[in-house]
Amino acid sequence: EVQLVESGGGLVQAGGSLRLSCATSGFSFGDYAIGWFRQAPGKEREGISCISATDGRTYYADFVKGRFTISADNAKNTVYLQLNSLKPEDTAVYYCAADNRRGCQAYNDMRYWGKGTLVTVSS
């Protein structure tokens, strides 16, 4: 059974930091690209970052502006998203997803998805 479980969300003040975790199980971790996405109230889901399984490349959305960093711990089958300098507009449900067919290019059509973790940034 493929499982992706996000954790680490919560309430933080503007300018603060959080580290989100995506714990995976049920598949060969090294064969899958892992992406982070978010969906704010009334908005479409948008991609944040992705780490490729084939070459280890990382990708970031333009709005990140150096504030977020994706990383992987292969021994723990876990991918992290470090969120720094958080702004109220970062408030959203954050999801991780995995794909072994089109990798990071699958974008919103990634094969497997977690249920999300809520990040709320107060002003």
Side-chain angles (χ1 to χ4, degrees):
E1 178 186 0
V2 173
Q3 282 195 306
L4 303 170
V5 181
E6 303 94 336
S7 62
L11 175 64
V12 297
Q13 293 185 340
S17 298
L18 286 173
R19 188 183 70 166
L20 307 183
S21 297
C22 176
T24 74
S25 61
F27 61 93
S28 297
F29 185 75
D31 293 335
Y32 285 73
I34 306 294
W36 282 98
F37 302 78
R38 70 184 186 184
Q39 188 166 22
K43 299 289 187 179
E44 297 289 328
R45 186 174 63 204
E46 61 182 350
I48 301 168
S49 184
C50 186
I51 184 165
S52 174
T54 55
D55 56 14
R57 287 187 177 184
T58 57
Y59 302 88
Y60 295 94
D62 289 341
F63 69 79
V64 169
K65 296 182 179 179
R67 297 183 299 124
F68 302 166
T69 303
I70 191 170
S71 63
D73 186 335
N74 293 329
K76 296 182 178 180
N77 294 337
T78 299
V79 173
Y80 304 96
L81 186 68
Q82 180 68 40
L83 309 176
N84 295 327
S85 302
L86 285 163
K87 306 173 182 179
E89 54 262 43
D90 294 320
T91 295
V93 176
Y94 285 69
Y95 301 89
C96 63
D99 190 271
N100 67 335
R101 296 174 296 192
R102 292 178 287 160
C104 290
Q105 304 312 306
Y107 197 62
N108 278 314
D109 296 322
M110 280 193 161
R111 192 173 185 181
Y112 303 106
W113 293 80
K115 294 181 179 179
T117 184
L118 177 63
V119 172
T120 303
V121 184
S122 62
S123 60

